[in-house]
Amino acid sequence: CSSDLYREFCASYRKTVMNSDELIVQIEVPVPAESACHYWRKVGTRLAHATSKVMIAGMGQLDDNRLTVARVGIGAVADRPIRLEAVEELLLSGPLESPMIEKAKNLTLSSIEPIDDVRSSATYRRTVSANLVGSFIKQLLAKLEGDSTTFDS
């Protein structure tokens, strides 16, 4: 699983397992299907050139009116960006429905370990993270209901 490779490669904050004489020469990124919906939000003091308080990237692939692929990554809530695999599993566990929003928000809260620092408090980061996950799911639900304006193509 690529998530496992990432966890093995990124040892901690700003540290990898690479030696000083090693160089990354290739990264493969699969092309998402046309039915994929992408979500990205950054919460910070400015839109650009500022360290994020929280950021999230999500992707949901919709096929035949159901969610078949889900990916949710979040940053500034742990020592490195992480995938919310428990949220992904929940989203794929059955029909996508509104009650999943609260469950996903709770899974988010149990999956992250934000810190207090000069940019933000851990409490703020936890609240915003859960709300961003909820927003992503609401947009997926809207897309399933036929709203074509919720995601950029």
Side-chain angles (χ1 to χ4, degrees), residues 55-76:
M55 80 281 296
I56 183 174
M59 188 278 289
Q61 185 173 317
L62 305 169
D63 294 306
D64 297 324
N65 259 358
R66 61 186 189 89
L67 191 64
T68 57
V69 177
R71 298 288 185 268
V72 185
I74 193 161

Side-chain angles (χ1 to χ4, degrees), residues 111-145:
S111 300
I112 62 175
E113 298 177 15
I115 61 168
D116 292 310
D117 65 15
V118 295
R119 286 180 295 282
S120 199
S121 71
T123 301
Y124 177 82
R125 286 186 167 114
R126 290 175 59 75
T127 301
V128 170
S129 297
N131 288 338
L132 288 172
V133 167
S135 176
F136 171 54
I137 297 168
K138 286 176 188 173
Q139 289 200 18
L140 287 171
L141 285 166
K143 184 74 171 183
L144 279 173
E145 294 168 1

Side-chain angles (χ1 to χ4, degrees), residues 33-52:
E34 285 189 36
S35 61
C37 305
H38 302 87
Y39 178 88
W40 181 83
R41 297 290 182 271
K42 170 189 172 177
V43 176
T45 53
R46 297 179 303 210
L47 292 177
H49 305 294
T51 303
S52 300

Side-chain angles (χ1 to χ4, degrees), residues 16-24:
T16 68
V17 295
M18 288 179 61
N19 294 317
S20 61
D21 62 344
E22 293 180 309
L23 176 69
I24 297 173

Side-chain angles (χ1 to χ4, degrees), residues 7-26:
R7 273 193 294 272
E8 291 172 17
F9 179 75
C10 294
S12 65
Y13 177 69
R14 300 181 83 173
K15 294 197 188 307
T16 68
V17 295
M18 288 179 61
N19 294 317
S20 61
D21 62 344
E22 293 180 309
L23 176 69
I24 297 173
V25 295
Q26 181 177 332

